[in-house]
Amino acid sequence: MTSLPAPFTLPDQERQLRARRSRRRRESATAYGFVLPAIIVILGLSVVPVIWSLLLSFQADDLVTPSRWVGLDNYRALTEDPHFSQAVENTLLYTVLYVPLSIVLGLLLALALNRRIRLVGLYRTLIFVPFIISETAQGVLFSFILDPQFGAANSVLHALGLPSQGFLTDPGQALPVLVLISLWSGTGFCVVIYLAALQDVPPTLIEAAKLDGAGRWHLLRHVVLPTLTPVSVFLVMWQTLMALQVFDLVYVTTKGGPLGSTTVIVYFIWEQAFKNFTAGYGASAAYVLALALLLVGGVMRLARRRRSDTIEGAAR
């Protein structure tokens, strides 16, 4: 009687290895399944628009007819465009006024609210609330308040015996008024950040300085402010980036007027793309702004790194 052939089976070690590989493939497929929606959103809303707008900046495109490749002509035209130059000047002036004022006011208010005073929680809330109001709502609110004919601001000036002001309709006042509106809402962010940072100032340093006879001014100058330096650098960078991208407030209140006195870069980009239908020209202006933002971020990072190297060198 002939014996039956033994069934072909894999060794136990190889079978376990195959099972492990199969399990890893299933886990990888599951992980990619969870991550894939986020990847699609990032590619669709960030990477693809960035690449598409870069290509658009080298074309003449009115969003209706087929586009035409023009190379660097859009960028050359920007250098000769007086409206773009005015937008750059307005943006820089807005940034120069808004950033230091918001940080200094935020620091002063944070120092005042860091003390044990009555109803301090209410004061902190009232200062922070304007920050969470959208710029569109702020624009609508202040358009009513600052209306030259029916606004409450001129009514107060009349009651005080002062002449009426044009505010947002006066070319000489519109941009400073926009800065004041931005300070009303943007200072609260600086206050919150500085209040959190003040909690991290080592009490031992303050006590040691007091024992050495340091007064309030010397305590602030030589102990508190050096401790807050990293936070101040962050706020300068953040507020600068926000100031360079201001748009909503300008769109709601002045629409770039009067006489272009409040036309900032982002509003100029919107105007070129969706009002004048010169999308390629607007895209080139957007990339000029992007390069400016990268330059600001790079300079801030370099300055912070040099300061850290200096401090480490002094510590050694």
Side-chain angles (χ1 to χ4, degrees), residues 215-248:
R216 287 185 177 181
W217 169 245
H218 290 87
L219 197 64
L220 175 65
R221 180 181 176 185
H222 298 291
V223 177
V224 176
L225 291 183
T227 309
L228 298 179
T229 299
V231 175
S232 300
V233 172
F234 162 74
L235 284 176
V236 169
M237 184 182 299
W238 180 267
Q239 295 292 77
T240 302
L241 296 179
M242 293 297 104
L244 291 175
Q245 301 177 74
V246 63
F247 171 74
D248 295 355

Side-chain angles (χ1 to χ4, degrees), residues 107-151:
L107 176 61
L108 294 177
L109 289 172
L111 291 172
L113 296 176
N114 195 42
R115 304 166 62 187
R116 293 181 180 178
I117 55 178
R118 191 178 179 186
L119 301 177
V120 66
L122 176 62
Y123 300 146
R124 292 176 179 177
T125 304
L126 291 177
I127 289 177
F128 185 69
V129 163
F131 176 70
I132 62 176
I133 300 176
S134 70
E135 291 188 349
T136 304
Q138 295 174 34
V140 174
L141 173 64
F142 281 96
S143 294
F144 282 111
I145 294 176
L146 301 176
D147 187 277
Q149 295 181 348
F150 310 105

Side-chain angles (χ1 to χ4, degrees), residues 9 28 33 67 72 76 91 95 137 171 207 228 244 299 306 314:
T9 57
S28 298
S67 59
L72 296 175
R76 293 193 191 97
T91 305
T95 304
E207 293 299 327
L228 298 179
L244 291 175
V299 169
R306 284 188 175 180

Side-chain angles (χ1 to χ4, degrees), residues 175-316:
L175 192 62
V177 170
L178 287 181
V179 173
L180 292 177
I181 296 173
S182 300
L183 287 174
W184 175 74
S185 60
T187 304
F189 176 74
C190 299
V191 172
V192 171
I193 298 298
Y194 271 128
L195 275 174
L198 286 172
Q199 308 303 315
D200 292 333
V201 177
T204 53
L205 285 179
I206 297 177
E207 293 299 327
K210 288 181 178 178
L211 289 176
D212 290 339
R216 287 185 177 181
W217 169 245
H218 290 87
L219 197 64
L220 175 65
R221 180 181 176 185
H222 298 291
V223 177
V224 176
L225 291 183
T227 309
L228 298 179
T229 299
V231 175
S232 300
V233 172
F234 162 74
L235 284 176
V236 169
M237 184 182 299
W238 180 267
Q239 295 292 77
T240 302
L241 296 179
M242 293 297 104
L244 291 175
Q245 301 177 74
V246 63
F247 171 74
D248 295 355
L249 189 60
V250 174
Y251 180 80
V252 175
T253 54
T254 63
K255 296 192 183 302
L259 301 177
S261 60
T262 59
T263 299
V264 292
I265 294 179
V266 179
Y267 186 83
F268 176 85
I269 295 170
W270 174 87
E271 198 173 37
Q272 296 302 322
F274 302 108
K275 192 174 179 181
N276 300 335
F277 296 104
T278 52
Y281 192 55
S284 61
Y287 264 87
V288 171
L289 175 61
L291 290 176
L293 294 175
L294 286 176
L295 182 63
V296 170
V299 169
M300 292 289 183
R301 187 176 181 82
L302 185 62
R304 187 176 181 182
R305 181 177 296 177
R306 284 188 175 180
R307 181 175 178 80
S308 301
D309 293 342
T310 304
I311 293 174
E312 290 178 2
R316 292 173 185 171

